[in-house]
Amino acid sequence: MKKIDFNKDWICRSLGGEKREYQVTLPHDAMIREPRTAESRGAGNIGWYTGGDYEYRKCFYVPEEENGKTFILEFEGVYHNAEVYVNGEKAGFRPYGYTNFYINIGKYLKYGEENEIRVIARNSDQPNSRWYPGTGIYRPVVLYIGERMYIPVNGVRIRTVSSSPAVVEICVKTSCPGTVDVEIFKDGKTVLSDTGWAEKDEAVFRMEISDAALWSCETPELYTCKVYFGDDIAEENFGIRELKWDRNHGLTINGNRVILKGACIHHDNGLLGACAFPEAEERKIRILKENGYNAVRSAHYPCSKALLNACDRLGMLVMDEYVDVWYIHKTAYDYAGDVMKWYQEDLKDMVEKDYNHPSVIMYSTGNEVSETAQKKGIRLTAEMTRLLHELDGTRPVTCGINIFFNFLSSIGFGVYSDEKAKKTAENTEKGALLKNKPSKKKKTVGSEFYNTLACMLGDRFMKWGATLYPCDLKTRDAFANMDIAGYNYGINRYYHDLKKYPDRLILGTETFCKDAYTFYEAAKENPGIIGDFVWAGWDYIGEVGEGCAEYSDYNFNGERPETQMTGGNGRIDLLGKPRAEAAFTRVAFDLEKGPKIAVWPVYQKENIHITGWQLTKALESWSWRGCAGMDAKIEVYARAHSVELFLNGICIGKKKIPKKSCRVIFRTVYGDGKLTAVSYDKAGKEIGRQTLCTAEKETILKLLPEAETVKPEGLIFLPIRYTDKQGIWKPMEKHRLTVKVENGSLEGLGSANAYKEGNYTDPVTDTYYGEAMAIVRAGVRGTVKITVSDEENTYITDIPVEKTIYG
């Protein structure tokens, strides 16, 4: 079918409060522009945004000669309870906010006239999410037009039959019987072609590709398949990779075992809100890949096509997850009321989206669904697994189960109820009226209860609880109804369960950063442990809970809880900068030997409570001028026998690295200069070193655009950092920045601080440890001028817009 970009010239307006209309280009997130207040009924779950209902409207002309053709609209994501009207008639409805869906609009169109598409996205029914969802049409929209002879949307399915020899099967659906031609290309050159006949609206080709370039994380080789039917052309990218899984070999790709070194990610793009801009999705995957991760878990929703395309190109494996609830609510207005009616169609659409992507290696039917401890839920586990096997027999199915909390919920602890939720909402509103302070009597409900409990008692408590015998009883039947058992925070069960269940494959679907070394050493020796997904790989808006430890100079929470924006618990911060925890993880996964140095902010004297979701507050810097003589806490990560630490050439300590660890901590007195860590093997031979230097006194602000040019209307990511002339980072610099843009628009501005006054659409931000970032959308042509001002100086960077050649 002819594919038409349907993202421009939409008009958006709020259906409550401010009625002003404004023009938008999709993807668009209306929520990111809303006020953040203590009155928010979604509270910290959604970053204290208010939530609202919005209307999107677009007019377009359909020529008279188009009458009789097939018109299908695809919405990749509308949050949520989307209603679609065509010329005033209701053409479709989809309650789930994270799935792509299709509407055949042909019968509603007026030919030879202007037509109106109207979409209602509702998000005033708060609370409905445990994290920031965004509002509106936050993923792209496409219009498909088909002649009499056409290939339906998702009508080409490609699977690898074998990798040696390389054989692929191509199944083509058609609107009617007829001749089908298939060509396979690699790097623009034809590899082979074939012709067949679609007898019953389907043609199947089995083709062997000689000297095939196989797809893997290390070599993400892609082919292009073009299918011709009448005047219609369908094009699909694919990779040749053979996926297998069993207890003796673990998970294998093309016969080689792969240990999943994974990161859980939410759908938002930080300062951009929920908008699924292709550049932002690819940037996220690229940075995660650079930091040693080879897999992502889309927590807890089907991910965007742009993200899957990036994973295909960059060699990142994907566990695509369906949902966060089944039929038991976690918040009052979440999707639990609709899952049983819609899950079959939701899963079908997810599979059709995923099928041709070599990066997708697994489906997950849910996250921490306590239903799996009930007979009804155990049956549903089996039904969803069966349905996914029927839709796609090439990939395994899992479900992330919090083993300890599954047991607790089965005996009544933390179970959601409308009465508890109502009391929580009432206390939130009372707190807002009383000096904007939430009630201390607030009762947590649903999964928030478990998060709060874990923060209070720590990760050891969660992992110990998972080892209790009743936890096994409440998970074993559900685990038996999936291909791979998904363990959330159950690492202490691994060895026990491998012995007890000789056919079980174990996947750490959600884990703590500090367990990376333990997991990887166990997985290397046990194929039954196929991987690990840390919570979280990348920081995200909402779900603030109790998971964020922050010093008071960056924490406004004491008087204004609504300033807490994120959980602060990503290995990559909200701006895309790797934290020290990412360096620890690279060493834990044996991707680097180290040593890597990180230092707790020397000037900070508070004792703050680090929860399980944060490993450390240390920064990879030795620039703490003015702190001479103060106590310094230094972490070193290394795969070595021992590590020695030097300050300006003088040894300040040497430590043996503990068994089952790659992390040691030193304490010393701070002094400006050079801090050097040297690692040694058992024989005392040096095997690595790293040095951090104190920045010079003179301070400058550096604007560091991540690319020298930008595509027309593309995104510019502009990290902003205080340094010395040599570019050495100065984390003690605190400033307020103002950003202005010419020939473009400011799409997002902020820092990695978990606490934020205002929102990311404001042109002003405070730095966090000397850093911030602006995201700018370029104009169509010319040069984008970005001006950044602090209290004393103004800095400018110019980014040329790439010229577009037509024809």
mmCIF file of all heavy atoms in Angstrom, residues 507-541:
data_model
loop_
_atom_site.group_PDB
_atom_site.id
_atom_site.type_symbol
_atom_site.label_atom_id
_atom_site.label_comp_id
_atom_site.label_asym_id
_atom_site.label_seq_id
_atom_site.Cartn_x
_atom_site.Cartn_y
_atom_site.Cartn_z
ATOM 1 N N LEU A 507 15.630 -15.858 33.672
ATOM 2 C CA LEU A 507 16.018 -14.538 33.193
ATOM 3 C C LEU A 507 15.747 -13.521 34.290
ATOM 4 O O LEU A 507 14.631 -13.452 34.819
ATOM 5 C CB LEU A 507 15.199 -14.172 31.940
ATOM 6 C CG LEU A 507 15.353 -12.745 31.401
ATOM 7 C CD1 LEU A 507 16.780 -12.487 30.961
ATOM 8 C CD2 LEU A 507 14.379 -12.502 30.257
ATOM 9 N N GLY A 508 16.755 -12.758 34.653
ATOM 10 C CA GLY A 508 16.564 -11.670 35.609
ATOM 11 C C GLY A 508 15.871 -10.517 34.903
ATOM 12 O O GLY A 508 16.533 -9.634 34.357
ATOM 13 N N THR A 509 14.528 -10.520 34.910
ATOM 14 C CA THR A 509 13.784 -9.514 34.166
ATOM 15 C C THR A 509 13.865 -8.136 34.819
ATOM 16 O O THR A 509 13.597 -7.124 34.159
ATOM 17 C CB THR A 509 12.314 -9.939 34.018
ATOM 18 O OG1 THR A 509 11.887 -10.615 35.212
ATOM 19 C CG2 THR A 509 12.140 -10.881 32.846
ATOM 20 N N GLU A 510 14.216 -8.096 36.101
ATOM 21 C CA GLU A 510 14.425 -6.817 36.773
ATOM 22 C C GLU A 510 15.402 -7.069 37.915
ATOM 23 O O GLU A 510 15.166 -7.931 38.767
ATOM 24 C CB GLU A 510 13.099 -6.273 37.303
ATOM 25 C CG GLU A 510 13.058 -4.769 37.437
ATOM 26 C CD GLU A 510 11.637 -4.257 37.569
ATOM 27 O OE1 GLU A 510 10.861 -4.397 36.607
ATOM 28 O OE2 GLU A 510 11.320 -3.718 38.644
ATOM 29 N N THR A 511 16.502 -6.307 37.940
ATOM 30 C CA THR A 511 17.567 -6.572 38.904
ATOM 31 C C THR A 511 18.166 -5.264 39.404
ATOM 32 O O THR A 511 17.934 -4.192 38.843
ATOM 33 C CB THR A 511 18.691 -7.410 38.263
ATOM 34 O OG1 THR A 511 19.292 -6.659 37.206
ATOM 35 C CG2 THR A 511 18.165 -8.727 37.716
ATOM 36 N N PHE A 512 18.967 -5.379 40.472
ATOM 37 C CA PHE A 512 19.681 -4.227 41.017
ATOM 38 C C PHE A 512 21.061 -4.107 40.376
ATOM 39 O O PHE A 512 21.713 -5.106 40.081
ATOM 40 C CB PHE A 512 19.844 -4.367 42.527
ATOM 41 C CG PHE A 512 18.550 -4.347 43.285
ATOM 42 C CD1 PHE A 512 18.106 -5.480 43.952
ATOM 43 C CD2 PHE A 512 17.784 -3.193 43.357
ATOM 44 C CE1 PHE A 512 16.923 -5.475 44.666
ATOM 45 C CE2 PHE A 512 16.592 -3.178 44.067
ATOM 46 C CZ PHE A 512 16.168 -4.315 44.723
ATOM 47 N N CYS A 513 21.526 -2.862 40.237
ATOM 48 C CA CYS A 513 22.830 -2.601 39.630
ATOM 49 C C CYS A 513 23.950 -3.318 40.378
ATOM 50 O O CYS A 513 24.860 -3.881 39.768
ATOM 51 C CB CYS A 513 23.094 -1.098 39.613
ATOM 52 S SG CYS A 513 24.698 -0.615 38.963
ATOM 53 N N LYS A 514 23.883 -3.327 41.710
ATOM 54 C CA LYS A 514 24.973 -3.886 42.502
ATOM 55 C C LYS A 514 25.145 -5.391 42.293
ATOM 56 O O LYS A 514 26.177 -5.957 42.662
ATOM 57 C CB LYS A 514 24.757 -3.601 43.989
ATOM 58 C CG LYS A 514 23.533 -4.238 44.611
ATOM 59 C CD LYS A 514 23.391 -3.868 46.084
ATOM 60 C CE LYS A 514 23.212 -2.387 46.281
ATOM 61 N NZ LYS A 514 22.976 -2.026 47.697
ATOM 62 N N ASP A 515 24.149 -6.044 41.678
ATOM 63 C CA ASP A 515 24.222 -7.489 41.458
ATOM 64 C C ASP A 515 24.789 -7.858 40.091
ATOM 65 O O ASP A 515 24.809 -9.036 39.725
ATOM 66 C CB ASP A 515 22.830 -8.119 41.612
ATOM 67 C CG ASP A 515 22.321 -8.047 43.038
ATOM 68 O OD1 ASP A 515 23.154 -8.121 43.960
ATOM 69 O OD2 ASP A 515 21.108 -7.905 43.232
ATOM 70 N N ALA A 516 25.258 -6.887 39.327
ATOM 71 C CA ALA A 516 25.732 -7.158 37.968
ATOM 72 C C ALA A 516 26.892 -8.148 37.950
ATOM 73 O O ALA A 516 26.919 -9.070 37.128
ATOM 74 C CB ALA A 516 26.136 -5.854 37.280
ATOM 75 N N TYR A 517 27.849 -7.976 38.842
ATOM 76 C CA TYR A 517 29.011 -8.873 38.876
ATOM 77 C C TYR A 517 28.575 -10.282 39.255
ATOM 78 O O TYR A 517 28.965 -11.266 38.611
ATOM 79 C CB TYR A 517 30.044 -8.346 39.861
ATOM 80 C CG TYR A 517 31.303 -9.186 39.941
ATOM 81 C CD1 TYR A 517 32.406 -8.888 39.146
ATOM 82 C CD2 TYR A 517 31.394 -10.275 40.804
ATOM 83 C CE1 TYR A 517 33.566 -9.647 39.211
ATOM 84 C CE2 TYR A 517 32.539 -11.047 40.879
ATOM 85 C CZ TYR A 517 33.620 -10.732 40.079
ATOM 86 O OH TYR A 517 34.768 -11.503 40.153
ATOM 87 N N THR A 518 27.756 -10.401 40.293
ATOM 88 C CA THR A 518 27.291 -11.717 40.756
ATOM 89 C C THR A 518 26.533 -12.441 39.664
ATOM 90 O O THR A 518 26.737 -13.641 39.420
ATOM 91 C CB THR A 518 26.396 -11.541 41.992
ATOM 92 O OG1 THR A 518 27.123 -10.840 43.001
ATOM 93 C CG2 THR A 518 25.950 -12.892 42.530
ATOM 94 N N PHE A 519 25.623 -11.715 38.998
ATOM 95 C CA PHE A 519 24.862 -12.319 37.911
ATOM 96 C C PHE A 519 25.778 -12.826 36.805
ATOM 97 O O PHE A 519 25.646 -13.964 36.345
ATOM 98 C CB PHE A 519 23.875 -11.309 37.319
ATOM 99 C CG PHE A 519 23.723 -11.433 35.829
ATOM 100 C CD1 PHE A 519 23.048 -12.504 35.269
ATOM 101 C CD2 PHE A 519 24.313 -10.510 34.969
ATOM 102 C CE1 PHE A 519 22.951 -12.652 33.888
ATOM 103 C CE2 PHE A 519 24.220 -10.639 33.603
ATOM 104 C CZ PHE A 519 23.532 -11.718 33.055
ATOM 105 N N TYR A 520 26.717 -11.984 36.370
ATOM 106 C CA TYR A 520 27.501 -12.341 35.196
ATOM 107 C C TYR A 520 28.400 -13.542 35.477
ATOM 108 O O TYR A 520 28.549 -14.425 34.617
ATOM 109 C CB TYR A 520 28.333 -11.146 34.736
ATOM 110 C CG TYR A 520 28.925 -11.353 33.360
ATOM 111 C CD1 TYR A 520 28.097 -11.515 32.254
ATOM 112 C CD2 TYR A 520 30.301 -11.420 33.173
ATOM 113 C CE1 TYR A 520 28.627 -11.721 30.989
ATOM 114 C CE2 TYR A 520 30.832 -11.628 31.910
ATOM 115 C CZ TYR A 520 29.993 -11.777 30.824
ATOM 116 O OH TYR A 520 30.524 -11.995 29.578
ATOM 117 N N GLU A 521 28.975 -13.610 36.659
ATOM 118 C CA GLU A 521 29.809 -14.767 36.992
ATOM 119 C C GLU A 521 28.982 -16.042 37.033
ATOM 120 O O GLU A 521 29.427 -17.103 36.596
ATOM 121 C CB GLU A 521 30.509 -14.534 38.343
ATOM 122 C CG GLU A 521 31.545 -13.428 38.317
ATOM 123 C CD GLU A 521 32.619 -13.664 37.266
ATOM 124 O OE1 GLU A 521 33.319 -14.696 37.346
ATOM 125 O OE2 GLU A 521 32.752 -12.819 36.362
ATOM 126 N N ALA A 522 27.739 -15.947 37.544
ATOM 127 C CA ALA A 522 26.867 -17.122 37.586
ATOM 128 C C ALA A 522 26.433 -17.531 36.190
ATOM 129 O O ALA A 522 26.393 -18.727 35.851
ATOM 130 C CB ALA A 522 25.653 -16.830 38.459
ATOM 131 N N ALA A 523 26.104 -16.557 35.352
ATOM 132 C CA ALA A 523 25.623 -16.862 34.005
ATOM 133 C C ALA A 523 26.702 -17.501 33.145
ATOM 134 O O ALA A 523 26.404 -18.364 32.302
ATOM 135 C CB ALA A 523 25.096 -15.588 33.349
ATOM 136 N N LYS A 524 27.941 -17.107 33.319
ATOM 137 C CA LYS A 524 29.027 -17.681 32.516
ATOM 138 C C LYS A 524 29.136 -19.178 32.728
ATOM 139 O O LYS A 524 29.493 -19.922 31.802
ATOM 140 C CB LYS A 524 30.355 -16.998 32.861
ATOM 141 C CG LYS A 524 30.483 -15.589 32.319
ATOM 142 C CD LYS A 524 31.907 -15.046 32.416
ATOM 143 C CE LYS A 524 32.385 -14.905 33.830
ATOM 144 N NZ LYS A 524 33.709 -14.260 33.923
ATOM 145 N N GLU A 525 28.799 -19.636 33.921
ATOM 146 C CA GLU A 525 28.943 -21.056 34.260
ATOM 147 C C GLU A 525 27.639 -21.840 34.119
ATOM 148 O O GLU A 525 27.663 -23.070 34.219
ATOM 149 C CB GLU A 525 29.458 -21.193 35.698
ATOM 150 C CG GLU A 525 30.765 -20.476 35.980
ATOM 151 C CD GLU A 525 31.895 -20.985 35.101
ATOM 152 O OE1 GLU A 525 31.926 -22.210 34.829
ATOM 153 O OE2 GLU A 525 32.735 -20.162 34.680
ATOM 154 N N ASN A 526 26.526 -21.155 33.925
ATOM 155 C CA ASN A 526 25.227 -21.829 33.922
ATOM 156 C C ASN A 526 24.382 -21.357 32.745
ATOM 157 O O ASN A 526 23.782 -20.273 32.796
ATOM 158 C CB ASN A 526 24.471 -21.527 35.225
ATOM 159 C CG ASN A 526 25.151 -22.095 36.446
ATOM 160 O OD1 ASN A 526 24.984 -23.264 36.774
ATOM 161 N ND2 ASN A 526 25.913 -21.250 37.131
ATOM 162 N N PRO A 527 24.299 -22.138 31.674
ATOM 163 C CA PRO A 527 23.467 -21.755 30.520
ATOM 164 C C PRO A 527 22.002 -21.561 30.870
ATOM 165 O O PRO A 527 21.279 -20.883 30.133
ATOM 166 C CB PRO A 527 23.653 -22.932 29.551
ATOM 167 C CG PRO A 527 24.921 -23.584 29.960
ATOM 168 C CD PRO A 527 25.022 -23.401 31.453
ATOM 169 N N GLY A 528 21.571 -22.141 31.996
ATOM 170 C CA GLY A 528 20.189 -21.971 32.417
ATOM 171 C C GLY A 528 19.864 -20.552 32.832
ATOM 172 O O GLY A 528 18.695 -20.177 32.919
ATOM 173 N N ILE A 529 20.892 -19.736 33.096
ATOM 174 C CA ILE A 529 20.708 -18.312 33.394
ATOM 175 C C ILE A 529 21.007 -17.563 32.101
ATOM 176 O O ILE A 529 22.155 -17.486 31.675
ATOM 177 C CB ILE A 529 21.645 -17.837 34.511
ATOM 178 C CG1 ILE A 529 21.428 -18.664 35.780
ATOM 179 C CG2 ILE A 529 21.432 -16.353 34.800
ATOM 180 C CD1 ILE A 529 22.463 -18.399 36.864
ATOM 181 N N ILE A 530 19.986 -17.021 31.479
ATOM 182 C CA ILE A 530 20.210 -16.476 30.136
ATOM 183 C C ILE A 530 20.464 -14.976 30.119
ATOM 184 O O ILE A 530 20.898 -14.446 29.096
ATOM 185 C CB ILE A 530 19.040 -16.803 29.187
ATOM 186 C CG1 ILE A 530 17.779 -16.053 29.588
ATOM 187 C CG2 ILE A 530 18.794 -18.302 29.128
ATOM 188 C CD1 ILE A 530 16.725 -16.090 28.505
ATOM 189 N N GLY A 531 20.213 -14.289 31.247
ATOM 190 C CA GLY A 531 20.476 -12.863 31.188
ATOM 191 C C GLY A 531 19.929 -12.088 32.363
ATOM 192 O O GLY A 531 19.416 -12.650 33.332
ATOM 193 N N ASP A 532 20.049 -10.758 32.250
ATOM 194 C CA ASP A 532 19.771 -9.838 33.345
ATOM 195 C C ASP A 532 19.331 -8.510 32.747
ATOM 196 O O ASP A 532 19.914 -8.034 31.768
ATOM 197 C CB ASP A 532 21.065 -9.670 34.161
ATOM 198 C CG ASP A 532 20.994 -8.586 35.214
ATOM 199 O OD1 ASP A 532 21.145 -7.399 34.890
ATOM 200 O OD2 ASP A 532 20.819 -8.955 36.393
ATOM 201 N N PHE A 533 18.284 -7.899 33.335
ATOM 202 C CA PHE A 533 17.852 -6.564 32.925
ATOM 203 C C PHE A 533 17.825 -5.670 34.164
ATOM 204 O O PHE A 533 16.990 -5.845 35.041
ATOM 205 C CB PHE A 533 16.467 -6.611 32.283
ATOM 206 C CG PHE A 533 16.459 -7.185 30.892
ATOM 207 C CD1 PHE A 533 16.276 -8.548 30.690
ATOM 208 C CD2 PHE A 533 16.656 -6.363 29.788
ATOM 209 C CE1 PHE A 533 16.277 -9.083 29.411
ATOM 210 C CE2 PHE A 533 16.658 -6.890 28.505
ATOM 211 C CZ PHE A 533 16.478 -8.253 28.316
ATOM 212 N N VAL A 534 18.752 -4.714 34.218
ATOM 213 C CA VAL A 534 18.869 -3.861 35.393
ATOM 214 C C VAL A 534 17.750 -2.833 35.414
ATOM 215 O O VAL A 534 17.315 -2.339 34.376
ATOM 216 C CB VAL A 534 20.251 -3.158 35.422
ATOM 217 C CG1 VAL A 534 20.359 -2.130 34.307
ATOM 218 C CG2 VAL A 534 20.512 -2.514 36.776
ATOM 219 N N TRP A 535 17.269 -2.535 36.639
ATOM 220 C CA TRP A 535 16.343 -1.414 36.798
ATOM 221 C C TRP A 535 17.102 -0.250 37.405
ATOM 222 O O TRP A 535 17.567 -0.338 38.521
ATOM 223 C CB TRP A 535 15.155 -1.776 37.704
ATOM 224 C CG TRP A 535 14.129 -0.700 37.552
ATOM 225 C CD1 TRP A 535 14.021 0.453 38.264
ATOM 226 C CD2 TRP A 535 13.109 -0.660 36.555
ATOM 227 N NE1 TRP A 535 12.995 1.216 37.782
ATOM 228 C CE2 TRP A 535 12.421 0.556 36.730
ATOM 229 C CE3 TRP A 535 12.720 -1.516 35.529
ATOM 230 C CZ2 TRP A 535 11.352 0.925 35.916
ATOM 231 C CZ3 TRP A 535 11.672 -1.147 34.734
ATOM 232 C CH2 TRP A 535 10.988 0.057 34.927
ATOM 233 N N ALA A 536 17.223 0.834 36.691
ATOM 234 C CA ALA A 536 16.807 1.006 35.302
ATOM 235 C C ALA A 536 18.053 1.320 34.490
ATOM 236 O O ALA A 536 19.060 1.799 35.024
ATOM 237 C CB ALA A 536 15.801 2.138 35.186
ATOM 238 N N GLY A 537 17.973 1.079 33.193
ATOM 239 C CA GLY A 537 19.107 1.397 32.351
ATOM 240 C C GLY A 537 19.230 2.889 32.110
ATOM 241 O O GLY A 537 20.327 3.426 32.019
ATOM 242 N N TRP A 538 18.088 3.568 32.017
ATOM 243 C CA TRP A 538 18.054 4.998 31.669
ATOM 244 C C TRP A 538 17.022 5.649 32.573
ATOM 245 O O TRP A 538 15.932 5.132 32.761
ATOM 246 C CB TRP A 538 17.638 5.144 30.210
ATOM 247 C CG TRP A 538 17.867 6.471 29.578
ATOM 248 C CD1 TRP A 538 17.239 7.656 29.876
ATOM 249 C CD2 TRP A 538 18.767 6.778 28.501
ATOM 250 N NE1 TRP A 538 17.691 8.654 29.066
ATOM 251 C CE2 TRP A 538 18.625 8.151 28.209
ATOM 252 C CE3 TRP A 538 19.667 6.021 27.751
ATOM 253 C CZ2 TRP A 538 19.353 8.781 27.196
ATOM 254 C CZ3 TRP A 538 20.388 6.650 26.741
ATOM 255 C CH2 TRP A 538 20.243 8.014 26.471
ATOM 256 N N ASP A 539 17.366 6.785 33.148
ATOM 257 C CA ASP A 539 16.428 7.470 34.027
ATOM 258 C C ASP A 539 15.198 7.916 33.235
ATOM 259 O O ASP A 539 15.263 8.076 32.009
ATOM 260 C CB ASP A 539 17.111 8.667 34.683
ATOM 261 C CG ASP A 539 16.406 9.099 35.968
ATOM 262 O OD1 ASP A 539 15.506 8.374 36.440
ATOM 263 O OD2 ASP A 539 16.746 10.174 36.498
ATOM 264 N N TYR A 540 14.101 8.137 33.934
ATOM 265 C CA TYR A 540 12.828 8.409 33.276
ATOM 266 C C TYR A 540 11.972 9.289 34.177
ATOM 267 O O TYR A 540 12.185 9.389 35.387
ATOM 268 C CB TYR A 540 12.095 7.108 32.961
ATOM 269 C CG TYR A 540 11.896 6.222 34.177
ATOM 270 C CD1 TYR A 540 10.732 6.300 34.935
ATOM 271 C CD2 TYR A 540 12.884 5.330 34.581
ATOM 272 C CE1 TYR A 540 10.559 5.503 36.062
ATOM 273 C CE2 TYR A 540 12.724 4.534 35.704
ATOM 274 C CZ TYR A 540 11.557 4.627 36.439
ATOM 275 O OH TYR A 540 11.393 3.851 37.558
ATOM 276 N N ILE A 541 10.972 9.923 33.588
ATOM 277 C CA ILE A 541 10.077 10.801 34.337
ATOM 278 C C ILE A 541 9.072 9.958 35.114
ATOM 279 O O ILE A 541 8.564 8.951 34.623
ATOM 280 C CB ILE A 541 9.329 11.759 33.394
ATOM 281 C CG1 ILE A 541 10.321 12.547 32.532
ATOM 282 C CG2 ILE A 541 8.466 12.738 34.188
ATOM 283 C CD1 ILE A 541 9.655 13.406 31.461
#
